[in-house]
């Protein structure tokens, strides 16, 4: 026995068992009465979207939980998804743990690694040491997406950060009918399709019930943490069509009326003070009546898709809560329902039915939106609502997700624990931040944060427990300051006051205008006291800079595109060739070949018999991507830009036997702008059979800023189909390998890339 093992052994070892004494390490035991914990984290749901916060959207499950417990009106997040999740999971500020912006890139600075530092243990890692079993479902998005492939590394995936099981997706968003699913540490196919009635929300709830049921069958003596991070209501807004259309009548009066109705209900419920003022419309948002009739029809349906998605999620959440009751564990289960940031501004002023087209410069004019209005929320759409409806979601707060005004960082928070929380339907108005959740949970469980996790000394928790406010509505809020920062937008809360600045991207930070609000008297941030209290404002700005230095916020960086582009360049390096062998699995989009705005060549090595067909390589889904396949005896390439298909078929049929079938794309450089309607454009596409041209076309469309948020497959198309075939359309010949060679002429549109990537978050 090694010295290390002998030191850990508590018995004695003699020459035989007669002279020896056995020993077993003590089992990890949770504190007496330690609760089960169910966290339900919604995505991009605004402050007023739950019924119990003012909305008319049907959320009876969440409303019942609120009636059985508490609603907090001062819960604050970080303005974006990755960052809020990092704070919620660790009990520290997001910059402090290395996730100052997004998991999508590493800027090269300590606060912007895109990955939670090992020195910042997660709540799962903390609870594991006390006998908890931990289950994670849904959206993760605190792993760099360049680490989301088959080789990991997996230390930043859920199972690498304290969770025992994982079923969900790693990216910021996914198609609800054909998601990029991961089970534990492996990419898997969704267990159903749109045609079979599949939807990710119902699947996540099914798996949540399964994880808990398995736990109760195996170790009912141990408590559990189940973290359910739904895709709802992040774009794409997708839900059953009848549910979506059922909301049209509710919202046809528009966002101005809806804001007033919500705030009236909020005042009646006590969610906001009676003296709360409605802010003027956000910049660029027109009055509802200023829009044409057709525009209002489309906007109404886009809002109905959002509402339908939330309603649908609430219906399935009801199944999970009912299971807890049936299993007899509801009384000792602490249930928390919240959102990760305010409603999204990424839908722009007019919203999208399929955002993938406009992000690649294929416009989506209003007549096309009208033509496709009944497709909204379906499997071939990537919908998001316009600014006006995002503004209504955040009622009565200003601005949106990404911003540090209230609309970006103030969110609903519902807590219910029948066996321990005596309050029924009460409100709590204390200021609470996402980083305060972990200290609160630790106090409620009755444990201290560990000093060391897996041999790594831990940084102190930065959040403060708000457990005292659960039983005492008059308990004071935290006595420490709380900073905010996102893409240069800044803010600071201290003692009921808030200093905040909106930062126009690309402008000098010293030109930013700071505003000052007394939040305890001005819930909606409409009375700027900067001129009346310049000394207080100056003191708070000074404190913001001190906090920024302490928590790794610096250097301030408002760049969108360069950070994404630099990360991609660093990841791919000088690699220009990818080889994909038959039998490999799914490839996430961020580790697939980057064929945006460049020349490239694809070549598939196959053995084929007459009648063989199927996909050779496909990247994307029905909303955007490319596919090279054989159908009806012809080699076919589909360039799918936002649902518009540019089909190229070989002139003749493909020959039998061993061959190389491919595609060459040559990026063209214009000397003059093309005539309107011209089909000559950015690239020339040429089909290849054994290296010889078998058909070509020129097109002005291409992957200028993105390919797809869905990934790449070899020999099949696993998700919603890129082209006109039924997925997975597996290749029936013998596919040996596929190579992709990228040429060194990539010219990306920086602003376009940045806008597209931001819409993904």
């Amino acid at each position: 026995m090694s010295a290390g093992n002998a030191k850990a052994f508590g018995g004695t070892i003699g020459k035989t068992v007669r002279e020896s004494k056995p020993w077993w390490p003590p089992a990890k035991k949770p504190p007496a009465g330690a609760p089960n914990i169910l966290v339900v984290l919604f995505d991009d749901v605004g402050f007023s979207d739950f019924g119990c916060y003012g909305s008319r959207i049907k959320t009876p499950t969440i409303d019942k939980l609120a009636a059985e417990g508490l609603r907090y009106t001062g819960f604050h997040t970080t303005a974006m998804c990755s960052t809020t999740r990092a704070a919620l999971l660790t009990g520290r500020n997001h910059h402090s743990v290395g996730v100052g912006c997004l998991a999508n890139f590493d800027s090269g600075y300590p606060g912007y690694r895109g990955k939670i530092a090992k020195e910042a243990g997660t709540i799962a890692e903390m609870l594991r040491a006390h006998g908890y079993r931990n289950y994670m479902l849904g959206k993760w998005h605190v792993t760099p997406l360049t680490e989301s492939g088959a080789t990991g590394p997996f230390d930043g995936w859920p199972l690498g950060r304290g969770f025992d099981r994982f079923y969900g997706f790693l990216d910021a968003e996914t198609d609800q009918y054909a998601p990029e699913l991961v089970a534990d540490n492996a990419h898997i196919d969704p267990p159903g399709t749109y045609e079979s009635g599949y939807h990710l929300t119902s699947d996540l709830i099914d798996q949540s019930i399964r994880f808990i049921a398995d736990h109760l069958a195996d170790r009912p003596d141990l408590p559990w943490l189940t973290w359910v991070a739904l895709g709802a209501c992040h774009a794409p807004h997708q839900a059953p069509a009848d549910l979506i259309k059922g909301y049209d009548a509710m919202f046809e009066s528009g966002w101005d009326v809806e804001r007033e109705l919500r705030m009236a209900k909020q005042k009646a419920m006590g969610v906001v003070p009676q003296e709360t003022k409605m802010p003027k419309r956000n910049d660029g948002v027109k009055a509802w009546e200023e829009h044409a009739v057709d525009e209002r029809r489309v906007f109404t349906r886009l809002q109905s898709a959002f509402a339908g998605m939330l309603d649908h999620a609430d219906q399935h959440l009801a199944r999970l809560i009912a299971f807890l009751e049936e299993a007899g564990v509801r009384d000792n289960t602490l249930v928390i329902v919240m959102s990760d940031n305010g409603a999204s501004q990424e839908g722009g002023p007019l919203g999208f039915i399929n955002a993938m087209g406009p992000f690649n410069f294929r416009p989506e004019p209003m007549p096309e939106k009208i033509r496709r209005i009944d497709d909204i929320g379906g499997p071939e759409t990537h919908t998001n609502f316009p600014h006006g409806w995002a503004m209504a979601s955040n009622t009565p707060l200003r601005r949106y997700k990404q911003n540090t005004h209230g609309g970006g960082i103030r969110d609903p928070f519902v807590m219910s624990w029948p066996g321990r929380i005596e309050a029924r339907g009460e409100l709590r108005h204390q200021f609470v931040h996402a980083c305060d959740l972990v200290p609160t949970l630790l106090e409620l469980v009755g444990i201290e944060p560990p000093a060391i996790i897996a041999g790594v000394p831990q940084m102190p928790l930065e959040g403060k427990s708000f457990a005292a406010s659960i039983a005492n509505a008059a308990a004071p809020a935290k006595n420490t300051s709380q900073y905010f920062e996102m893409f240069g937008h800044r803010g600071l809360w201290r003692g009921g006051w808030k200093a905040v600045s909106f930062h126009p991207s690309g402008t000098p930070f010293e030109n930013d205008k700071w505003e000052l609000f007394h939040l305890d008297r001005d819930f909606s941030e409409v009375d700027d006291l900067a001129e009346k209290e310049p000394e207080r404002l100056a003191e708070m700005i000074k404190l913001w800079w001190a906090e920024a230095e302490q928590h790794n916020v610096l250097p301030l960086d408002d760049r969108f595109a360069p950070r994404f582009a630099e990360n991609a360049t660093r990841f791919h390096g000088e690699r220009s060739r990818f080889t994909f062998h038959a039998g490999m699995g799914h490839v996430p989009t961020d580790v697939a070949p980057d064929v945006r705005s460049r020349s490239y060549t694809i070549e598939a090595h196959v053995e084929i018999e007459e009648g063989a067909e199927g996909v050779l390589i496909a990247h994307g889904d029905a909303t955007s991507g490319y596919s090279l396949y054989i159908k009806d005896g012809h080699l076919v390439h589909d360039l799918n830009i936002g649902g518009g298909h540019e089909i190229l078929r070989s002139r003749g049929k493909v020959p039998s036997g061993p061959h190389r079938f491919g595609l060459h794309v040559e990026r063209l450089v214009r000397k003059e702008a093309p005539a309107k309607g011209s089909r000559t454009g950015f690239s020339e596409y040429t089909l290849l059979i054994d290296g010889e041209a078998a058909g070509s076309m020129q097109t002005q469309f291409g992957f200028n800023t993105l390919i797809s948020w869905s990934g790449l497959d070899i020999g099949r198309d696993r998700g919603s189909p890129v082209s006109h075939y039924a997925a997975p359309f597996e290749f029936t010949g013998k596919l040996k390998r596929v190579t992709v060679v990228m040429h060194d002429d990539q010219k990306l549109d920086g602003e376009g890339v940045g806008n597209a990537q931001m819409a993904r978050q």
Side-chain angles (χ1 to χ4, degrees):
M1 176 179 292
S2 69
N5 288 336
K7 185 177 181 180
F9 183 67
T12 58
I13 299 177
K15 291 184 177 179
T16 71
V17 72
R18 293 180 179 180
E19 298 95 29
S20 304
K21 180 180 179 181
W23 176 85
W24 293 268
K28 298 175 182 177
K29 292 185 177 180
N36 306 310
I37 302 169
L38 171 63
V39 174
V40 181
L41 180 58
F42 279 85
D43 201 333
D44 289 4
V45 169
F47 179 77
S48 72
D49 279 325
F50 296 159
C52 53
Y53 279 81
S55 174
R56 294 185 290 163
I57 299 171
K58 298 173 185 176
T59 57
T61 308
I62 300 169
D63 299 347
K64 186 173 185 290
L65 290 170
E68 294 172 347
L70 296 168
R71 282 166 292 165
Y72 280 77
T73 67
F75 174 65
H76 286 71
T77 57
T78 68
M80 289 293 282
C81 45
S82 294
T83 50
T84 293
R85 290 158 204 271
L88 288 171
L89 285 164
T90 67
R92 289 99 169 176
N93 287 296
H94 56 296
H95 294 88
S96 297
V97 305
V99 190
C101 191
L102 297 168
N104 302 63
F105 51 72
D106 177 349
S107 293
Y109 298 102
Y112 300 91
R113 292 299 183 191
K115 188 175 186 177
I116 297 174
K118 295 294 186 183
E119 294 79 10
T122 69
I123 182 64
E125 290 171 312
M126 298 177 200
L127 293 176
R128 174 182 274 178
H130 297 273
Y132 272 77
R133 298 293 189 267
N134 305 303
Y135 310 114
M136 167 73 204
L137 301 106
K139 175 174 170 175
W140 182 239
H141 203 210
V142 284
T143 296
L145 297 180
T146 52
E147 297 185 2
S148 64
T151 61
F154 303 107
D155 60 334
W157 292 32
L159 268 59
R161 296 312 308 253
F163 288 95
D164 299 293
R165 298 297 310 276
F166 173 54
Y167 185 91
F169 58 102
L170 299 174
D171 207 338
E173 66 166 57
T174 195
D175 188 290
Q176 299 294 298
Y177 302 118
E180 299 275 287
L181 272 182
V182 171
D184 296 333
N185 281 349
H187 290 268
I188 64 169
D189 289 357
T193 64
Y194 172 78
E195 290 74 18
S196 68
Y198 179 86
H199 191 285
L200 178 60
T201 295
S202 61
D203 189 15
L204 293 176
I205 296 302
D206 287 344
Q207 294 298 324
S208 300
I209 292 172
R210 177 180 176 178
F211 284 177
I212 297 171
D214 286 348
H215 177 101
L216 295 176
D218 190 37
R219 291 303 304 267
D221 56 314
L222 295 179
W224 46 261
L225 164 68
T226 301
W227 192 286
V228 184
L230 299 171
C233 286
H234 195 292
H237 298 154
Q238 295 170 318
D242 57 343
L243 200 57
I244 291 173
K245 292 178 182 179
Y247 276 101
D248 283 354
M250 179 179 292
F251 296 119
E252 63 186 6
S253 55
W255 48 65
D256 294 318
V257 169
E258 185 65 19
R259 288 177 86 201
E260 295 294 340
L261 289 171
R262 292 192 183 193
M263 193 166 79
K265 185 177 177 182
Q266 289 172 333
K267 289 182 177 181
M269 293 187 299
V271 170
V272 304
Q274 290 297 315
E275 64 273 15
T276 301
K277 300 175 184 177
M278 182 68 78
K280 65 180 182 180
R281 297 182 197 91
N282 290 334
D283 296 344
V285 177
K286 296 180 181 179
W288 179 256
E289 296 300 328
E290 291 182 26
H291 286 282
V293 173
D294 280 351
E295 289 179 324
R296 296 201 298 264
R297 282 184 60 208
V298 171
F299 298 163
T300 297
R301 182 61 59 81
L302 290 172
Q303 166 65 5
S304 294
F306 174 91
M309 192 178 197
L310 179 54
D311 183 337
H312 181 253
D314 185 88
Q315 292 181 33
H316 285 282
L317 178 58
R319 295 195 294 115
L320 177 54
I321 300 302
F323 170 76
L324 298 181
E325 293 172 348
E326 181 181 346
V329 298
R330 175 71 182 92
D331 279 353
N332 197 36
T333 299
L334 170 61
V335 179
I336 294 171
V337 182
M338 58 183 160
S339 179
D340 63 351
N341 45 242
S344 163
Q345 63 176 293
E346 286 82 30
L350 301 178
F352 295 116
I353 292 180
N354 184 0
M356 300 296 99
F359 288 135
N360 274 321
F361 308 139
R362 181 182 183 274
E364 188 180 73
M366 193 55 61
E368 180 175 338
K369 284 181 164 71
I370 288 293
R371 180 179 61 81
R372 298 199 64 197
I373 192 168
D374 288 333
D375 295 338
I376 290 173
E380 296 184 359
T381 65
H382 191 286
T383 65
N384 203 346
F385 56 15
H387 285 162
W389 284 118
M391 176 183 67
S393 284
N394 294 331
T395 301
L397 306 169
R398 296 169 57 195
R399 301 195 186 276
Y400 319 94
K401 169 187 173 182
Q402 299 185 30
N403 306 141
T404 50
H405 283 76
I409 61 174
R410 199 162 191 162
D411 287 280
F413 184 99
V414 173
M415 176 184 285
S416 173
W417 185 4
R420 284 276 297 275
I421 297 178
E422 295 182 0
R424 293 294 182 269
E426 295 182 17
L427 293 162
R428 296 292 184 265
H429 302 297
Q430 288 85 351
F431 176 93
V432 173
H433 189 264
C435 69
D436 299 329
L437 178 65
V438 165
T440 303
L441 293 178
L442 295 181
E443 182 174 344
L444 294 175
V445 171
I447 60 178
E448 295 292 325
I452 297 175
I453 293 178
V456 179
Q458 296 293 288
M459 59 189 291
L461 296 185
E462 295 173 347
K464 303 295 180 182
S465 172
F466 56 91
S469 68
I470 294 174
N472 181 9
K478 62 197 290 185
N479 59 5
T480 55
S481 302
Q482 179 61 55
Y483 79 90
F484 299 91
E485 190 278 335
M486 187 58 60
F487 298 116
H489 305 301
R490 290 168 280 171
L492 182 88
W493 176 90
R494 184 179 66 170
W497 289 79
K498 179 181 177 182
V500 61
S501 69
F502 175 85
H503 174 72
S505 179
T507 65
F509 289 103
E510 57 269 24
N511 290 354
D512 291 346
K513 177 187 176 183
W514 283 84
E515 299 171 285
L516 179 67
F517 302 106
H518 193 182
L519 285 190
D520 287 352
R521 299 179 181 178
D522 181 15
F523 190 98
S524 54
E525 302 176 11
V526 296
D527 295 324
D528 183 7
L529 302 177
E531 293 185 3
K532 293 182 179 179
E533 301 231 22
E535 293 181 0
R536 183 188 297 272
L537 178 59
E539 182 182 354
M540 293 186 73
I541 294 173
K542 181 179 178 181
L543 180 56
W544 185 91
W545 283 104
E547 293 274 306
E549 185 172 358
Q550 177 183 348
H551 296 291
N552 293 333
V553 179
L554 305 180
L556 287 176
D557 190 349
D558 62 355
R559 301 171 304 151
F560 289 163
R563 287 196 272 185
F564 289 106
E566 289 168 5
N567 194 74
T569 300
R570 185 173 58 256
F571 172 70
H572 288 296
E574 297 182 356
R575 183 180 184 184
S576 61
R577 182 184 182 90
F578 287 74
T579 300
F580 302 110
H581 292 278
M584 63 172 294
H586 187 66
V587 182
T589 197
D590 284 78
V591 296
D594 181 5
V595 300
R596 296 172 299 167
S597 193
R598 74 187 326 154
S599 304
Y600 60 96
T601 303
I602 299 173
E603 193 168 63
H605 296 251
V606 305
E607 290 183 8
I608 188 170
E609 296 179 358
E610 185 175 353
E613 62 178 4
V615 171
L616 303 173
I617 180 173
H619 185 172
D621 55 32
T623 67
S624 182
Y626 66 87
S627 179
L628 182 66
Y629 58 98
I630 295 173
K631 186 177 182 182
D632 299 328
H634 291 267
L635 181 62
V636 185
H637 179 263
D638 189 344
L639 173 67
N640 178 345
I641 303 297
H645 299 269
E646 302 270 336
I647 303 288
L648 176 60
R649 287 165 54 92
S650 62
R651 290 187 293 267
K653 292 193 173 184
V654 297
S656 299
H659 293 282
R660 292 176 289 122
F661 299 137
L663 174 81
H664 177 69
V665 179
E666 187 68 24
R667 183 175 178 273
L668 304 177
V669 178
R670 294 181 185 274
K671 295 182 179 180
E672 298 179 357
K676 186 175 181 180
S678 170
R679 300 308 295 161
T680 60
F682 295 125
S683 298
E684 182 173 43
Y685 289 72
T686 303
L687 291 172
L688 303 172
I689 297 178
D690 296 326
E692 298 296 325
S696 65
M697 72 174 188
Q698 290 186 349
T699 176
Q700 61 183 332
F701 295 120
F703 301 118
N704 295 290
T705 63
L706 63 87
I707 301 167
S708 173
W709 304 148
S710 297
L712 178 147
D713 292 285
I714 300 298
R716 62 200 298 260
D717 186 350
R718 58 172 284 285
S720 64
V722 173
S723 192
H724 303 303
Y725 46 70
F729 199 39
E730 295 191 11
F731 183 56
T732 57
K734 183 177 180 180
L735 176 62
K736 296 181 178 179
R737 65 186 181 277
V738 178
T739 60
V740 180
V741 177
M742 300 179 295
H743 300 203
D744 188 21
D745 60 351
Q746 187 178 50
K747 299 291 183 182
L748 290 175
D749 176 88
E751 183 177 354
V753 170
N755 291 336
Q757 291 284 353
M758 286 308 303
R760 176 189 192 180
Q761 306 314 312

